[in-house]
Amino acid sequence: MRVKWFSFVRVVGLTLVLSYHFFQNQYTGGFLGVDIFFTFSGYLITALMIDEFGKTGQFRLFSFYKRRFRRIVPPLFLSVILVMPFTLLVNRDYLTNIGRQIAAALGFTTNYFEILTGGSYENKFIPHLFVHTWSLAIEMQFYLVWGLIVFLLGITVRHFVQSRTRALAIFENTVLWSSLLLSIASFATMFLRARGLTDYSQVYFSSITHGYPFFVGSVVGCLAGIKTVRPAFERTIKNWNLSVAVSVMVISSAALIGLGCYLKFDHLQTYQGGLLLSTVLAGLMIYAARILHEKTPNSDEPQLITYIADVSYSVYLFHWPLYVIFSQLMPNLAAVALTVVVSFALSSLSYYVLEPIMIGHTGRWFKHSVTWKQVRVPFMTALVLLIGTTAYATRLAPQMTTLENNLWVGDLYQDVDQMNMHHSMIMAATKPTTQKVNGAGQPVPAGMPKGVSIIGDSVTLGTRSYLGAHVKQSSIDAEGDRTMDLAYKVMKQEQQSGILRQTVVICIGTNALDDYKEQTMNIVHALAPGHRLVLMTPYNAKAAPDWNSSKLATYERTLPAKYPYITIADWETAAAKHPEVFKGTDGVHFGGIHAGDVLYAQVVNSALQQADKTPLKK
């Protein structure tokens, strides 16, 4: 039984996901489209489980697993081998650990693989080509666990209740209350674990914390059903007229689209209510669509909507890796257009022809039947070539991206430099000192090291070797994911140890938090007299004006007027004029691109020249 108007639910979910991936900066909350799919899956699977129990008096677990395997695995396998030839068009950084990515995708463990490797759609480095299969991993984990739970519930009910009708009623209620309790437990876990986090990937990707949309969908499946319908739902069908069903469906879908404009991946409220609200709205849309099916016995869904819904799963699988690849080869709008065309073409081929043949059925291409016998030779030839290409690309894949390698090397150099610097400071402290003056003729406090102390984040770490060689008398302390409060701690520690140099350069801000003003002023006030301060504005090519990093840059530019010992190194302005140094990167880091190293050092040196003309902090 195909329920009409459910296609709209799938289309809304797909539209939100594609909009988020294609226009992440403009449509920041489109990731909630995945929660629509989760809720719908929970509804559909649970309703079918109840139907099976009502018809046969049992729920057959291994038949359920077999059906899920045949629906999920063939499209996933095809998407992997059909995408891999496209990876030969981009640089090898995009193949980093591709073998492990493929293994995680096909093993339905991508969600935990991404948690362990720090992956995300908003990854600061090279995005994983198969990061989007995290949702399939959670879905398959839900099927495995929920299928077993329902199977055990069914056995228990049939053991104690002989009447088929009474057994069905008890089974429905037991499944309903189990779904409700599990959804509450999962959401409560997300709510509590999200507290205090700055990276929410671990709660977003976890099947434990992000499993509740499936169970909310299961609740709706128990209430609305498909073939097995509760008396209460039959009364609802009678009480709701057509306009009410349409209104609820339209309003809930519009609210979901609007919510996508508001939610952000890195905001706490997303995990403490935003995703739950989107799940409830998805449940309402599904409920209304189920009623609309009963109210429109003589109407059909638009064929275009039905087609998009049919191929939506495959489109989801194809679009992300294709978009990542195409967006490195052309402007974004062109990449989006090409991704949509190629994704739908490959998805149509997969859904209508290849998948049916792979599970022993007859495929269809428009009005023509396609059998295994007809396509056996070209299918096997193409399969061998595609698997060979995948194996070749996997063999070429590096273990680290160029940027990650630079960061790793930078860490090693930093450790060596820090030991040498501490040794030099200890030796210098044993020698008598004389009064020194700076370039402006001002006295330098006794014992204060000359030169520049640079405290930075991963951007600085990526160019550390070049920067250290081209900024005279400099010491560099840089670390990935460093925020302003952590830079404050480094500065205080160096200051207390007597190794903080006269001019302090703070290259922090891409990871700016909501309290960026307070954290910046902590540095300004904690800096001891006799120093100068240079603040380097952060740059992110993807940042909108309302991002914390953008607001921090604007705020930092206002400080020299109030504090004459502060100078601005305007990296944000300089970097924006040279987009070529970020080609093929995440728009923040330029590790491995020499022109980026040169530009970064020029901005620092130019600011230092200006700072040398300003007074010291009194």
Side-chain angles (χ1 to χ4, degrees):
M1 173 182 173
R2 178 164 185 147
V3 179
K4 293 178 296 184
W5 316 115
F6 277 173
S7 293
F8 280 98
V9 178
R10 289 191 177 101
V11 170
V12 170
L14 181 65
T15 301
L16 292 180
V17 170
L18 295 184
S19 298
Y20 171 63
H21 289 167
F22 294 157
F23 308 105
Q24 192 177 106
N25 297 334
Q26 292 76 29
Y27 195 62
T28 58
F31 51 81
L32 63 82
V34 172
D35 293 82
I36 297 175
F37 284 125
F38 284 178
T39 308
F40 183 73
S41 291
Y43 161 82
L44 190 62
I45 292 305
T46 304
L48 291 174
M49 288 173 169
I50 293 172
D51 283 348
E52 182 179 346
F53 191 89
K55 182 179 179 180
T56 66
Q58 62 179 323
F59 169 65
R60 291 167 293 187
L61 181 62
F62 291 104
S63 294
F64 168 72
Y65 287 159
K66 181 180 178 181
R67 290 193 300 271
R68 292 295 85 205
F69 181 90
R70 293 173 69 172
R71 177 67 189 100
I72 292 175
V73 174
L76 176 60
F77 173 75
L78 289 170
S79 70
V80 170
I81 64 173
L82 288 171
V83 160
M84 287 308 294
F86 290 94
T87 63
L88 302 178
L89 300 176
V90 291
N91 77 53
R92 291 173 63 246
D93 277 352
Y94 286 86
L95 289 174
T96 302
N97 283 324
I98 197 66
R100 294 170 63 192
Q101 290 185 53
I102 292 173
L106 296 178
F108 297 101
T109 56
T110 297
N111 57 330
Y112 291 111
F113 172 75
E114 295 299 331
I115 290 174
L116 292 173
T117 59
S120 170
Y121 289 117
E122 302 186 346
N123 197 295
K124 289 175 291 222
F125 306 129
I126 301 296
H128 290 163
L129 291 180
F130 298 107
V131 61
H132 65 312
T133 60
W134 73 271
S135 62
L136 299 186
I138 290 186
E139 189 165 359
M140 185 62 81
Q141 290 155 19
F142 164 74
Y143 292 151
L144 291 172
V145 174
W146 185 232
L148 181 60
I149 291 173
V150 173
F151 173 70
L152 294 175
L153 291 175
I155 290 177
T156 304
V157 169
R158 289 299 292 160
H159 179 75
F160 290 102
V161 182
Q162 299 303 314
S163 167
R164 177 78 63 87
T165 302
R166 180 166 171 74
L168 176 60
I170 295 174
F171 178 73
E172 280 186 294
N173 287 330
T174 305
V175 171
L176 172 62
W177 283 105
S178 298
S179 302
L180 186 60
L181 291 174
L182 287 169
S183 64
I184 293 172
S186 177
F187 173 71
T189 306
M190 175 179 275
F191 186 96
L192 294 173
R193 286 189 59 191
R195 291 178 178 176
L197 295 179
T198 55
D199 179 6
Y200 297 98
S201 296
Q202 59 183 282
V203 294
Y204 186 73
F205 287 140
S206 171
S207 55
I208 296 173
T209 53
H210 206 161
Y212 64 86
F214 290 100
F215 295 113
V216 171
S218 296
V219 171
V220 180
C222 293
L223 297 176
I226 296 180
K227 291 182 180 179
T228 305
V229 179
R230 287 170 169 257
F233 185 67
E234 291 179 337
R235 290 193 295 271
T236 303
I237 294 172
K238 292 179 181 178
N239 293 333
W240 284 31
N241 57 38
L242 180 63
S243 61
V244 172
V246 172
S247 297
V248 172
M249 191 170 177
V250 170
I251 291 172
S252 56
S253 59
L256 282 165
I257 295 170
L259 191 60
C261 299
Y262 171 75
L263 293 183
K264 291 185 179 180
F265 190 85
D266 59 352
H267 283 190
L268 178 62
Q269 57 263 39
T270 296
Y271 306 92
Q272 293 193 331
L275 292 179
L276 177 63
L277 178 57
S278 67
T279 298
V280 171
L281 290 170
L284 280 174
M285 184 164 55
I286 294 166
Y287 193 85
R290 179 68 185 87
I291 294 176
L292 193 59
H293 170 82
E294 301 293 340
K295 293 291 183 180
T296 56
N298 300 317
S299 301
D300 293 323
E301 289 179 328
Q303 289 187 353
L304 178 61
I305 297 298
T306 302
Y307 161 71
I308 295 174
D310 285 344
V311 300
S312 60
Y313 171 48
S314 292
V315 170
Y316 177 82
L317 292 174
F318 280 110
H319 85 280
W320 173 254
L322 290 176
Y323 173 67
V324 170
I325 292 167
F326 293 154
S327 62
Q328 303 308 309
L329 304 174
M330 59 194 72
N332 190 60
L333 288 179
V336 168
L338 186 59
T339 298
V340 170
V341 170
V342 177
S343 295
F344 273 92
L346 292 177
S347 298
S348 299
L349 176 66
S350 175
Y351 181 80
Y352 293 111
V353 180
L354 301 179
E355 294 171 41
I357 289 174
M358 290 175 69
I359 60 175
H361 296 167
T362 299
R364 297 196 63 83
W365 189 249
F366 296 99
K367 296 182 179 181
H368 303 285
S369 297
V370 183
T371 64
W372 168 246
K373 185 177 181 179
Q374 292 172 316
V375 300
R376 179 176 54 192
V377 174
F379 180 88
M380 292 305 298
T381 302
L383 186 62
V384 170
L385 291 173
L386 289 169
I387 292 177
T389 302
T390 302
Y392 174 72
T394 301
R395 186 176 179 182
L396 287 178
Q399 296 300 307
M400 290 191 294
T401 65
T402 303
L403 175 58
E404 289 169 332
N405 185 69
N406 286 346
L407 295 179
W408 180 71
V409 172
D411 269 328
L412 293 179
Y413 278 116
Q414 175 160 301
D415 290 341
V416 173
D417 289 351
Q418 289 291 322
M419 288 189 291
N420 292 335
M421 182 179 67
H422 281 77
H423 179 264
S424 299
M425 292 299 102
I426 293 172
M427 296 301 294
T430 64
K431 299 178 181 180
T433 58
T434 57
Q435 186 68 52
K436 302 181 179 66
V437 296
N438 60 29
Q442 298 169 311
V444 178
M448 180 181 293
K450 294 191 300 181
V452 182
S453 290
I454 300 176
I455 302 173
D457 54 20
S458 58
V459 179
T460 309
L461 186 59
T463 186
R464 190 184 189 287
S465 297
Y466 184 89
L467 190 64
H470 291 81
V471 177
K472 295 180 180 180
Q473 292 184 306
S474 64
S475 68
I476 301 175
D477 189 309
E479 186 176 321
D481 292 325
R482 180 175 280 168
T483 50
M484 196 70 79
D485 57 325
L486 298 177
Y488 165 81
K489 292 179 180 179
V490 173
M491 188 191 78
K492 285 282 289 182
Q493 184 178 16
E494 291 194 4
Q495 193 164 260
Q496 291 168 359
S497 302
I499 61 174
L500 188 69
R501 303 192 179 193
Q502 186 179 55
T503 301
V504 181
V505 182
I506 302 295
C507 306
I508 299 289
T510 305
N511 306 302
L513 304 178
D514 291 339
D515 59 347
Y516 62 90
K517 288 185 179 180
E518 177 185 347
Q519 298 298 344
T520 302
M521 292 313 299
N522 285 341
I523 287 178
V524 172
H525 295 315
L527 187 68
H531 290 280
R532 294 190 181 91
L533 181 62
V534 175
L535 298 175
M536 194 162 194
T537 58
Y539 175 73
N540 184 340
K542 301 176 182 178
D546 64 339
W547 285 31
N548 286 341
S549 59
S550 300
K551 292 188 287 187
L552 172 61
T554 300
Y555 177 68
E556 286 178 332
R557 294 188 188 99
T558 67
L559 296 179
K562 186 175 181 181
Y563 305 96
Y565 56 89
I566 294 180
T567 302
I568 299 301
D570 206 342
W571 173 242
E572 184 187 51
T573 300
K577 295 177 180 178
H578 296 276
E580 70 278 1
V581 305
F582 298 96
K583 186 176 182 180
T585 74
D586 59 358
V588 175
H589 304 84
F590 50 83
I593 299 177
H594 180 66
D597 294 330
V598 173
L599 182 63
Y600 198 84
Q602 286 177 347
V603 171
V604 171
N605 282 320
S606 177
L608 291 175
Q609 291 175 6
Q610 296 178 43
D612 200 42
K613 301 173 184 177
T614 62
L616 300 171
K617 183 177 182 180
K618 297 180 180 179

